[in-house]
Every structure is written in structure tokens, then in C-alpha cells.
Amino acid sequence: MTTLVTPTVHSTPVATRGGLKRVLIKSPHNPVIKPSDFPGDVMYAFNPGAIRFNGEYLLMVDAATLAQPVTLWIARSKDGIHFTADPEPVNWPAPPEDHAEDCIYDPRITFIDGEYIILYASSSESAGVRVGIVKTKDFRTFERVSIASEQGNRNGALFPEKINGLYARLDRPFGDPNDTCGMWVSYSPDLIYWGRSRPVMSARPGLWDSLKVGAGAVPIKTDKGWLEIYHGVTFTGAGPIYRLGACMLDLKDPSKVIARGEDTILWPEHDYEMVGRVGNVVFSCNAVLTDEGTVRIYYGAADTCIGLAEGKLSDLIDACYKKNTLRIRPA
Ligand code: BMA
């Protein structure tokens, strides 16, 4: 008879393990958002964009319903832990006629020049996956800005200020889903026409990010450079594992990587991260800097629910410079 084995998990945050200090501590309230926190028939709620808005934490969540593969749905919270979902999904502006959106997901929200600009994956059976851009001032009404002309690109994250007079975004062009792919930076004068694309960083054979790397959060400006929390994928015989890492990019030329930590800073380990629609996944579209100098990351867990992990900004910066002295390099 086959016995199901439940993986050993920590139900409470663990600051140290094997003598290594954790950079990010997971909330004991995890998962802070579950599909059942939404009205209606939401089956999976994950990968939110997040930002402080009107004194609240506002999360724009990937929500899969019976009617739609994924749509976007807002949840709001005063303390960043207990969330209330809006009664309806967002009223997303219609796409152009030649790009019927079958699925919209992974929103990343940037506040720039008095507006909130949302970059997201716009997926169309006929026109492929492209970086879509929508803007809002109040998170009630949304206005379409553009859908990028390049097909096969997602994980767009807009920098919170112009660089050398241009809008700048991180993105991840891709071909065959099983090929390796890396993070790039592209520029635009108007959020419509994008170019001057440069590679930023690639997958690292033998490490936890050996297959794919792409933007996670909207970059945070620090005195050392742009802190970027990114996702890395490795492939195992049982499928991919998604984890997060930290790197520091040059303020004036983000294609220059100043430092890139060798360790992952967040990985799937608990039941809610390892079992779900897509197991073994932690994935982030945000990193929210608090007034206390900590960074809150609301991450998708197993493409099913949302966890919260928090760490000091200074520790995340240090993590970018960290070598793996013990040579523990999970593949
Ligand atoms: C990526 C994106 C994410 C998803 C992840 C794991 O390629 O599609 O939305 O969380 O895969 O399934």
C-alpha cells in the first residue's frame, strides 16, 4: 500500500537554520491571502503586484475563476496582513482589436510622475504573450497605454524614475518555454515604443537559477544601486522550482550588474508553497519598502495563494554581495 508522505515544514518563521541567517522571514499568518478570501468562484489567487496606496497595502492579484483563466482582482489591507477583496475583479480596459487578451497576469505596479503604471503579461492565442501597460490614478478606473510590439516577452517591471531621460523596464524575452532565458532592460520615450534593449543577466549553470531568470519586483533605489528581487528557475527531474534572489544594478546603466548574491533568498518549503496548481513555486511581482526600513514581499505560492515575507533593506542589500562559502548550491 502506498503511504502519502507530508513534507516536514516549519509552521513558524525560522530566523536561522544550519547557522545561516535568513534574509527574509515568512509571516506566521501565511498564506495571508487564499482563494476563499475572494467572492465568487476564485480557484487560485497568486502573484500580486503590491504598493502602498491611500495609507493601505493594495494588492492586485492574479485570480483564476471558472469563467476566466486569470483575471486581476484587488485586495486591500491596513496592516498588510489582513486583506479584504474588492467585490468585483478590476474593470480592465479593452485591448486593441488585433490582440484579444485571453489571459492577463503578473501585474507590477510603479508609481511615477503622479500616476500608477501597471506592466503585466498580456496573453493572446492569436498574438502571443506581450508586455501590456495600463495606468490608473485611483485603482478604480484604468486606462490603456500600450501593448508592446514584441511577441514572446513578459515579466515587465518599470523603474520608478526615468533613466537618462527615458522610461526603463526590466523584461524577459523568451522563445521555447524549455529554453534558458534571461533578464533584459529596454527603454522608451513614451511607454509605447521600446528599444535599446540590453541583456542584464543570464541563468547560472549549476546554481538555483540555472534555467531562467527574470524580473520580480519593481526595483528599489538605494545608495548602492537598484536593488532587484528577481525570480530564478531550475529544472529537476520532477519539474521546475521557482525561487527568489537579489541583485544590485547600476543606477545609470541597469544593464551593469554590480553584485548578485549566490544564494536564493526565498524558496518553497511549506505545504502551501509546494502543493497547488503549480507546485514548488515562490514568485514575486513586488517588494514594498516600509517606513521602518524593511521590505515586504507578497509572493505567489504554488500559483495558488499568497505569502508574505519580510526582511531588512540592509540585509537584502548585503545578500546581493554574498558568496556561498559553504558551497551549498541547490540545483
Ligand atoms: C511563470 C509565470 C508565473 C508563474 C510561474 C510558475 O512563467 O507564468 O505567472 O507563477 O511561471 O508557474
Side-chain angles (χ1 to χ4, degrees):
M1 193 179 98
T2 320
T3 317
L4 283 178
V5 179
T6 307
T8 310
V9 295
H10 316 286
S11 55
T12 50
V14 179
T16 60
R17 195 180 185 197
L20 291 174
K21 186 178 170 214
R22 285 196 182 211
V23 180
L24 292 169
I25 304 296
K26 294 177 183 175
S27 169
H29 300 279
N30 278 355
V32 290
I33 298 189
K34 303 181 290 306
S36 56
D37 296 328
F38 291 81
D41 57 3
V42 172
M43 298 185 289
Y44 312 104
F46 56 108
N47 296 2
I51 200 156
R52 299 294 300 275
F53 176 71
N54 273 354
E56 292 187 320
Y57 287 85
L58 182 147
L59 266 53
M60 185 176 276
V61 174
D62 286 0
T65 67
L66 289 176
Q68 272 191 291
V70 185
T71 187
L72 301 177
W73 205 314
I74 288 174
R76 303 166 199 257
S77 167
K78 291 247 181 287
D79 64 4
I81 293 171
H82 303 93
F83 283 87
T84 306
D86 284 0
E88 305 278 344
V90 292
N91 188 8
W92 212 234
E97 273 178 17
D98 56 356
H99 187 92
E101 281 180 333
D102 308 315
C103 189
I104 53 179
Y105 59 101
D106 295 358
R108 293 171 172 95
I109 310 167
T110 302
F111 183 66
I112 182 168
D113 297 337
E115 289 183 314
Y116 298 90
I117 310 287
I118 302 155
L119 272 57
Y120 67 101
S122 167
S123 175
S124 162
E125 202 177 333
S126 54
V129 182
R130 297 164 195 253
V131 178
I133 305 185
V134 158
K135 65 180 181 178
T136 184
K137 285 191 169 150
D138 58 9
F139 287 97
R140 301 275 173 206
T141 53
F142 298 86
E143 189 185 326
R144 178 160 303 281
V145 178
S146 60
I147 292 184
S149 52
E150 321 94 275
Q151 182 175 342
N153 197 348
R154 65 181 159 200
N155 298 303
L158 185 69
F159 285 76
E161 59 185 63
K162 289 183 178 170
I163 299 176
N164 303 321
L166 295 171
Y167 291 102
R169 78 172 187 213
L170 297 172
D171 55 28
R172 198 193 78 179
F174 64 94
D176 185 288
N178 296 320
D179 287 349
T180 63
C181 52
M183 187 159 78
W184 287 61
V185 61
S186 307
Y187 296 93
S188 170
D190 53 8
L191 294 173
I192 298 170
Y193 298 99
W194 291 89
R196 292 200 195 169
S197 301
R198 298 271 180 289
V200 177
M201 55 191 220
S202 320
R204 293 179 292 193
L207 291 193
W208 60 273
D209 50 2
S210 62
L211 182 66
K212 301 176 187 187
V213 291
V218 169
I220 296 176
K221 194 175 192 184
T222 75
D223 55 6
K224 292 224 166 19
W226 293 109
L227 169 66
E228 171 61 11
I229 309 298
Y230 70 96
H231 71 264
V233 187
T234 191
F235 197 75
T236 74
I241 304 176
Y242 281 71
R243 294 178 262 218
L244 302 185
C247 63
M248 191 61 71
L249 309 178
D250 187 88
L251 287 177
K252 294 210 171 72
D253 178 1
S255 71
K256 289 188 187 149
V257 180
I258 296 171
R260 180 175 176 188
E262 287 188 358
D263 287 334
T264 171
I265 57 166
L266 199 80
W267 60 93
E269 60 191 317
H270 301 296
D271 287 356
Y272 62 89
E273 298 159 334
M274 296 199 290
V275 180
R277 176 174 169 254
V278 184
N280 271 328
V281 173
V282 299
F283 191 90
S284 172
C285 297
N286 67 83
V288 184
L289 185 57
T290 69
D291 299 337
E292 294 77 42
T294 63
V295 176
R296 288 187 152 191
I297 296 174
Y298 294 93
Y299 62 95
D303 285 5
T304 295
C305 58
I306 295 170
L308 165 61
E310 186 166 1
K312 283 190 197 154
L313 176 63
S314 54
D315 285 348
L316 282 163
I317 293 173
D318 289 351
C320 299
Y321 294 84
K322 196 156 172 296
K323 300 281 173 220
N324 190 325
T325 47
L326 297 180
R327 295 285 175 266
I328 300 168
R329 296 181 170 182

